[in-house]
Amino acid sequence: MAYFPDTTAFTGVLNPLRLEVDLIDLEVEGEVPSHLDGTFHRVQPDAQFPPKYDDDQFFNGDGLITLFRFKDGRIDLKQRYALTDKLRVEREAGKALFGAYRNPLTDDESVKGMIRSTANTTPIVHAGKLYALKEDSPALVMDPLTLETEGFTDFNGKMKGQTFTAHPKIDPKTGNMCAFGYASKGLLTRDCTYMEVSPEGELLFETFFEAPYYCMMHDFGVTEDYAVFHLVPITSNWDRLKANKPHFGFDISLPVYLGVLPRQGEAKDMRWFKAPKTVFASHVMNAFNDGSKIYFDIPQAEGNAFPFFPDINDAPFDPVAARPYLHRWCVDMSSNSDEFTSVEKLTDMIDEFPRIDERYATQAYRHGWMLVMDPDMAYEGPGARAAGFRMNKIGHIDMATGKQDFWYCGPQSMIQEPQFIPRSADAPEGDGYIIAVVDNCVTNYSDLVILDALHLEDGPMARIKIPFRLRSGLHGTWADASKLPRN
Ligand code: V55
Ligand code: FE
């Protein structure tokens, strides 16, 4: 009998799923565009074994990866755990050996020094491999089609930093995977790296730099000329870990910075710009530069959005202050000032999980999509999800016209992160599809929906039926068949 904790992190809509499965030819309502040939990988944290500590939180679950293989209008589903070193030894033991999120002091003696990755944040195809990512560890390499795990990579010994971000960007001009690491010289260190991996999978360079303070550096931006790092004070220290408090705590007294590193530069070339006030911000929609001016688009909230990373001074969690809205930050590398040039609010939609047409990553762009929470829409299902947000719309923003539109998923459901797929390799920006997992929390089934990216209000052209409900997940990525190892 498994005995998961009777807490919001493991019950209701966050019931563990733990299902490894192969399903051939999923049922479809509507029509899947038959020319779509590729893969959609997404991941959910989903603890294989009951956690060592009953207050275990969502971000600590083992990565369970779902692969949707699109070909000839048909879709096959494969779901496998990322076979991390952690999961391998825990399966041998038949129980959890690793303890609290990002706290090795809580692990069993027998696993001391092992890589702690759960590979639960982003799966992404590059150089014919699937990289299953967790920001506290090196990348785990898997086969994109069989989902067999090869193991962690240090890029043939070239990567000296200890970590690899879960939010790399593929530069559409060079084909390089641009990535970074933080806590690169060990837990809680201020050391970071910036790296680029060639389309063949070779680590081209790794630049070390230091952040002004240690914090969760969950995402970043890449422009044609710069790598851009937002520092938000979700901080930690050894005292927290020794006391077995949650690894991270929000410290509103620290400034928000935007660090700018020339992509080919060194740490001495780097500048840190200070924001006008301290805010919460996590996922980056896109970044680009016009000469020395850098634009950085990001959902920004007035206060902490992670209730499980509490305020360090025990200020109560404020769910209204936690609501993010897409903003555009601007800094200027030619300015003598170390302050932001401007901060502009781009929408009144409460939004997170921003996405773009990735052919425009690093470049000036027109179209953005995101998950939206409309608190005025009814909800008939149980419980909330990880951070208390219930994302019930997919929103689209046209940066050229300011026009905004959306699709609402109905009162029984919640939506997971959307993904844009271009209609063809040379289609205009935004011309294509939005796909997203939609969880019906009343019937307990999930659908993968397909929408016209520029006509969301038309609703799904297809609903791919999954005969169970997926658990809330994190990120997903599309890979065209040309990027896969074999067909
Ligand atoms: C996030 C997710 C993580 C994590 C740190 O903001 C940040 C998302 C799923 O794990 O370890
Ligand atoms: Fe993320």
Side-chain angles (χ1 to χ4, degrees):
M1 184 69 187
Y3 23 84
F4 282 84
D6 188 18
T7 63
T8 53
F10 293 98
T11 54
V13 301
L14 288 175
N15 247 344
L17 180 67
R18 307 192 297 155
L19 191 64
E20 296 194 300
V21 63
D22 285 288
L23 288 167
I24 292 167
D25 200 4
L26 292 175
E27 280 189 272
V28 177
E29 265 172 35
E31 201 77 32
V32 177
S34 59
H35 65 274
L36 286 177
D37 187 359
T39 50
F40 178 56
H41 295 92
R42 51 78 69 185
V43 67
Q44 61 188 37
D46 205 340
Q48 166 83 82
F49 295 105
K52 271 187 82 173
Y53 297 92
D54 278 356
D55 62 356
D56 198 53
Q57 55 112 318
F58 182 67
F59 288 173
N60 206 30
D62 299 298
L64 182 60
I65 295 177
T66 318
L67 159 62
F68 296 92
R69 173 74 172 102
F70 286 62
K71 197 174 167 59
D72 301 325
R74 190 183 107 161
I75 291 154
D76 299 338
L77 180 152
K78 184 184 287 289
Q79 191 156 279
R80 292 288 186 279
Y81 273 105
L83 196 50
T84 57
D85 292 2
K86 168 185 184 291
L87 184 56
R88 213 164 21 78
V89 297
E90 290 187 343
R91 280 183 172 174
E92 278 161 25
K95 62 174 187 180
L97 300 171
F98 288 75
Y101 175 78
R102 301 283 270 274
N103 190 349
L105 303 180
T106 62
D107 295 346
D108 266 37
E109 277 306 317
S110 63
V111 301
K112 285 267 146 71
M114 285 181 61
I115 293 176
R116 299 185 86 253
S117 177
T118 49
N120 71 3
T121 316
T122 302
I124 182 171
V125 173
H126 184 69
K129 300 291 185 187
L130 185 70
Y131 292 82
L133 301 172
K134 178 74 173 179
E135 66 197 49
D136 65 356
S137 297
L140 186 75
V141 178
M142 301 175 69
D143 183 288
L145 293 170
T146 66
L147 298 186
E148 270 158 35
T149 298
E150 289 181 18
F152 292 104
T153 183
D154 62 3
F155 298 92
N156 295 314
K158 283 193 179 166
M159 188 177 101
K160 302 300 179 200
Q162 297 179 11
T163 62
F164 192 97
T165 180
H167 283 286
K169 320 288 172 205
I170 311 283
D171 179 333
K173 293 204 167 165
T174 62
N176 288 351
M177 176 165 65
C178 306
F180 74 101
Y182 74 98
S184 299
K185 293 186 180 171
L187 200 65
L188 303 175
T189 60
R190 290 189 292 119
D191 303 280
C192 305
T193 60
Y194 175 65
M195 303 167 260
E196 294 195 15
V197 179
S198 77
E200 293 74 39
E202 187 194 350
L203 184 67
L204 297 172
F205 62 86
E206 179 184 40
T207 307
F208 275 84
F209 65 92
E210 264 184 39
Y213 57 81
Y214 170 80
C215 63
M216 178 199 279
M217 292 172 67
H218 180 62
D219 195 356
F220 78 134
V222 179
T223 78
E224 185 142 341
D225 299 316
Y226 301 102
V228 189
F229 305 90
H230 59 300
L231 249 60
V232 171
I234 308 165
T235 64
S236 191
N237 55 53
W238 279 110
D239 288 341
R240 294 185 70 85
L241 303 197
K242 285 177 190 152
N244 196 6
K245 288 188 177 164
H247 180 103
F248 288 113
F250 193 70
D251 183 354
I252 195 96
S253 74
L254 288 171
V256 163
Y257 292 104
L258 196 62
V260 183
L261 173 74
R263 276 171 66 176
Q264 308 297 332
E266 300 170 33
K268 64 173 173 46
D269 306 317
M270 190 162 192
R271 288 186 62 179
W272 291 95
F273 295 90
K274 200 172 151 194
K277 65 175 179 187
T278 296
V279 295
F280 177 97
S282 183
H283 292 120
V284 179
M285 180 174 265
N286 198 12
F288 57 96
N289 71 289
D290 180 4
S292 63
K293 274 208 165 90
I294 293 151
Y295 298 93
F296 188 80
D297 293 351
I298 187 165
Q300 164 187 320
E302 295 296 310
N304 181 20
F306 289 144
F308 39 79
F309 296 141
D311 186 275
I312 60 148
N313 296 313
D314 301 320
F317 183 75
D318 178 347
V320 174
R323 293 175 173 176
Y325 301 88
L326 186 67
H327 281 64
R328 174 163 289 180
W329 299 357
C330 178
V331 298
D332 189 345
M333 284 297 269
S334 72
S335 158
N336 293 323
S337 162
D338 286 332
E339 314 244 304
F340 281 25
T341 304
S342 60
V343 173
E344 184 193 352
K345 190 179 182 195
L346 299 182
T347 180
D348 289 323
M349 294 191 277
I350 301 166
D351 64 274
E352 240 292 346
F353 292 93
R355 303 304 302 262
I356 57 167
D357 179 338
E358 279 147 26
R359 296 171 302 163
Y360 289 79
T362 77
Q363 303 293 318
Y365 71 111
R366 177 168 173 183
H367 295 288
W369 295 266
M370 53 243 187
L371 284 185
V372 171
M373 177 172 91
D374 183 341
D376 294 333
M377 306 307 273
Y379 176 63
E380 299 166 0
R385 76 154 84 187
F389 289 102
R390 184 169 51 76
M391 308 312 270
N392 51 12
K393 291 180 172 177
I394 298 174
H396 163 245
I397 178 165
D398 180 334
M399 307 276 182
T401 63
K403 183 175 163 277
Q404 299 180 24
D405 49 77
F406 62 85
W407 170 67
Y408 166 57
C409 68
Q412 300 190 334
S413 298
M414 307 195 287
I415 314 174
Q416 303 203 23
E417 185 189 60
Q419 166 75 48
F420 175 82
I421 307 172
R423 194 175 307 276
S424 64
D426 55 4
E429 183 186 352
D431 180 19
Y433 308 97
I434 285 288
I435 61 172
V437 170
V438 178
D439 307 315
N440 188 312
C441 300
V442 176
T443 63
N444 280 321
Y445 294 104
S446 295
D447 295 340
L448 183 66
V449 300
I450 308 181
L451 299 125
D452 185 323
L454 296 181
H455 299 279
L456 296 179
E457 65 282 358
D458 291 351
M461 65 184 75
R463 279 181 178 269
I464 296 132
K465 311 300 286 181
I466 303 165
F468 50 89
R469 181 167 61 75
L470 287 165
R471 199 168 191 251
S472 290
L474 274 306
H475 302 295
T477 56
W478 171 260
D480 184 78
S482 60
K483 302 280 194 267
L484 298 171
R486 56 187 175 276
N487 278 293

